[in-house]
Amino acid sequence: MNLFEIQAPSLLERLRHNVLPLDVEKKTIRSSIDIARSRVAALQGQAALVEIEALSEYVTQYLSLLAPIRRLPVDILRRIFLDPVVHEKKPRQTDPHSILLHYRPNTLGAVCYHWRCSLQCVSCETTTLWSNLAIFLNQPHRYTIDGLRVALQRSQKAPLHLAFRPVHSSSWSSLDTEMMQEVCKHSERWVHVEVTSNPELLRLLSPAENKLDSLQTLTIRTPSQSPFEPPAQPSKVFAHAPKLHTLRLIGNLLHSPSVAPTLPWLQFTRLCIDVEWNTSDYHYVLSHAQNVHELSALFWHTPYFAHLQATSHDLHKLHIHHVSQFDGSEVNVLNHLTAPALKELLVSSCKLDNLTMQSFLSRSSARLQSLALHDTPIRAADLVSLLRMVPTVERLVLANLLPNAVTNRVVQSLTASPSSAEEILLPMMTSFVIDGGYLFTPDALFSMLESRLASTNALSQLKALNIILPTLAVPAPRLESFANTAKEVVQSFRFLCSDETRRKIEVRSGSPSDYEKIGAYEFPN
């Protein structure tokens, strides 16, 4: 059996420098790989391990030589490494950090010589690749002091996004102390920081105290059962950070209040809570963070609240999410909150109780402008009742609800008709987003949309539509006729459904960013 052998330069040299095979070589290489695989299959069960290993190595190396990614030139690789998607955070991941926070440039550079050269070229032009750092303490195999210094040097003067990841330990090595001293030298560049409530970690961060003039976002994590010994005094490393406006709490921070660092509560305008709450935690945070404009609360279990009330006078956006979908968990957090300035309410994966909602809205006297329901179990009758409570809503989002949540009754209640004796729901609605599979008919939907588009009142005429109904069968001519009318009125338009043959059809106008803006109902990170 004769296998293909590359000559001058050798196979390993080609792999190292990304020297691609000629077109005339590729066909021969593929045939040779098939021969090697057949030989390996024939040798299975025989005492020929040395030959099998050699053939397997041969297949691996030549497949790598033919890999499509090797055809990417350096300039394309550099664009991929610098693409914003690579650096963005994923809101629904358990650990919402950018890809490059986990796979640092030196890790990507270990893939091959070609990638390493590409990354070196990139690092000379931008600091983005080196400004997102995960600092692994008490884990010398994950990071070295030399590697940290190189990253900080290559980041130049760029804002730093830092995540400190210590393993719980009663003692810290001199290497850990040296690493913390090194990163604290650049504290004036810290913009986004994630820490745990480990007292020893906070003590090692103390050189940064009163030097966090650029810090904007702080994430504090604690395990469900804090194993730390409480410090003599709470850490004050984050007490003075004039630009700090966003706080994310993950874990059971306040179950051990002596472990929590001192925070500038009145500065926070955005608060994201991802914890297993009890009454004292909830009341403590909202009573201290009195200037919060946006509150995002994720619940892993149905929290128990006593009769403690919290009033947030500046709260404009409230996002409530329950991690366990459709387990019947009610949003009883609203029983203990008053938000007179509330403009936007998003409820995800929580059971809505109309009495709770009515009490909350009546107590707050808020003029709600945006209502979004996502993965929320609610019946059609209750949805109609809820919409009747919020006549000032201008933007309505109904996403991934149960099929019987939006029926002809709901759609007809939103239809503007001069002859109708019943008052129209949401008379000020100008933006409508619906996503999922529901029980209403196409005629009912089009009648509602056309009645809204024909409104002569600019305050109630639809301006933005994002309709994603993959299971709704609509005759193509009907959709085309409606789309032509809608495009003359609305600023952004998207309609996705299927025709009579169940073939997906989609009509849109406007830029993709328009659809993303009006259709955004993902829980924020």
Side-chain angles (χ1 to χ4, degrees), residues 115-137:
W115 279 36
R116 188 155 54 252
C117 291
S118 300
L119 282 163
Q120 289 173 354
C121 293
V122 169
S123 64
C124 295
E125 299 177 4
T126 181
T127 58
T128 305
L129 291 173
W130 306 98
S131 59
N132 291 267
L133 301 175
I135 313 298
F136 295 94
L137 299 175

Side-chain angles (χ1 to χ4, degrees), residues 208-508:
E209 186 176 337
N210 296 321
K211 299 178 182 178
L212 301 177
D213 292 341
S214 299
L215 185 62
Q216 299 176 15
T217 302
L218 175 63
T219 298
I220 303 178
R221 292 175 175 266
T222 58
S224 56
Q225 298 295 330
S226 177
F228 310 127
E229 290 293 330
Q233 291 183 343
S235 170
K236 295 183 179 181
V237 63
F238 302 112
H240 179 74
K243 294 183 179 180
L244 182 57
H245 56 73
T246 299
L247 174 65
R248 182 176 174 88
L249 301 176
I250 303 176
N252 289 329
L253 177 70
L254 300 177
H255 287 184
S256 301
S258 59
V259 176
T262 301
L263 299 174
W265 288 103
L266 296 180
Q267 288 182 201
F268 295 121
T269 58
R270 188 170 186 265
L271 180 62
C272 188
I273 300 167
D274 186 356
V275 299
E276 298 179 12
W277 285 99
N278 62 27
T279 304
S280 58
D281 292 342
Y282 173 82
H283 189 264
Y284 177 88
V285 169
L286 288 187
S287 61
H288 282 70
Q290 297 179 5
N291 297 321
V292 167
H293 294 168
E294 181 176 350
L295 170 62
S296 303
L298 289 84
F299 298 111
W300 290 85
H301 305 287
T302 304
Y304 169 75
F305 295 104
H307 298 288
L308 290 175
Q309 290 289 333
T311 300
S312 294
H313 294 282
D314 295 321
L315 185 62
H316 296 160
K317 299 180 182 180
L318 176 60
H319 299 165
I320 304 172
H321 174 72
H322 198 283
V323 174
S324 301
Q325 287 186 322
F326 300 126
D327 70 344
S329 301
E330 297 183 358
V331 287
N332 57 355
V333 59
L334 297 179
N335 282 324
H336 312 278
L337 176 65
T338 302
L342 190 66
K343 301 297 182 185
E344 298 183 23
L345 175 61
L346 184 153
V347 179
S348 177
S349 305
C350 298
K351 181 180 178 181
L352 281 176
D353 176 67
N354 274 359
L355 292 178
T356 298
M357 288 294 297
Q358 184 174 9
S359 176
F360 168 70
L361 294 170
S362 175
R363 183 172 63 252
S364 298
S365 298
R367 293 180 59 85
L368 205 63
Q369 296 178 356
S370 176
L371 174 64
L373 306 180
H374 182 220
D375 280 335
T376 298
I378 186 173
R379 299 178 302 173
D382 293 332
L383 179 56
V384 170
S385 299
L386 172 59
L387 298 182
R388 190 168 285 119
M389 300 177 202
V390 288
T392 57
V393 163
E394 301 172 11
R395 177 176 179 269
L396 176 65
V397 179
L398 305 174
N400 299 327
L401 307 183
L402 295 175
N404 62 353
V406 189
T407 61
N408 278 352
R409 177 187 175 187
V410 175
V411 175
Q412 290 167 357
S413 299
L414 293 167
T415 304
S417 174
S419 60
S420 176
E422 187 175 355
E423 183 180 357
I424 181 177
L425 293 182
L426 306 188
M428 301 175 66
M429 183 175 71
T430 58
S431 178
F432 180 55
V433 180
I434 187 166
D435 185 353
Y438 302 105
L439 300 181
F440 54 77
T441 62
D443 288 340
L445 177 63
F446 282 119
S447 296
M448 185 272 288
L449 295 176
E450 289 169 344
S451 73
R452 293 283 185 155
L453 293 175
S455 174
T456 58
N457 186 348
L459 295 177
S460 61
Q461 189 179 60
L462 283 175
K463 298 298 182 185
L465 289 172
N466 193 355
I467 300 173
I468 307 172
L469 303 168
T471 62
L472 185 69
V474 176
R478 180 72 173 96
L479 177 56
E480 183 179 356
S481 174
F482 170 74
N484 290 334
T485 302
K487 289 176 182 179
E488 298 178 358
V489 181
V490 301
Q491 298 170 355
S492 57
F493 174 79
R494 182 190 184 194
F495 199 122
L496 186 151
C497 59
S498 62
D499 62 11
E500 296 91 332
T501 62
R502 295 297 175 184
R503 179 177 59 88
K504 185 177 76 171
I505 54 177
E506 182 176 3
V507 181
R508 61 172 67 189

Side-chain angles (χ1 to χ4, degrees), residues 75-145:
D75 59 332
I76 298 299
L77 275 175
R78 287 160 60 186
R79 293 192 64 176
I80 293 174
F81 294 149
L82 298 177
D83 192 277
V85 174
V86 179
H87 302 273
E88 72 179 4
K89 299 183 189 311
K90 303 297 184 181
R92 288 196 175 274
Q93 292 180 352
T94 303
D95 199 10
H97 299 285
S98 65
I99 296 173
L100 284 181
L101 194 60
H102 292 290
Y103 304 102
R104 300 183 301 282
N106 52 318
T107 306
L108 293 175
V111 172
C112 65
Y113 179 82
H114 181 53
W115 279 36
R116 188 155 54 252
C117 291
S118 300
L119 282 163
Q120 289 173 354
C121 293
V122 169
S123 64
C124 295
E125 299 177 4
T126 181
T127 58
T128 305
L129 291 173
W130 306 98
S131 59
N132 291 267
L133 301 175
I135 313 298
F136 295 94
L137 299 175
N138 205 28
Q139 303 176 69
H141 61 288
R142 298 294 298 273
Y143 224 124
T144 65
I145 185 63

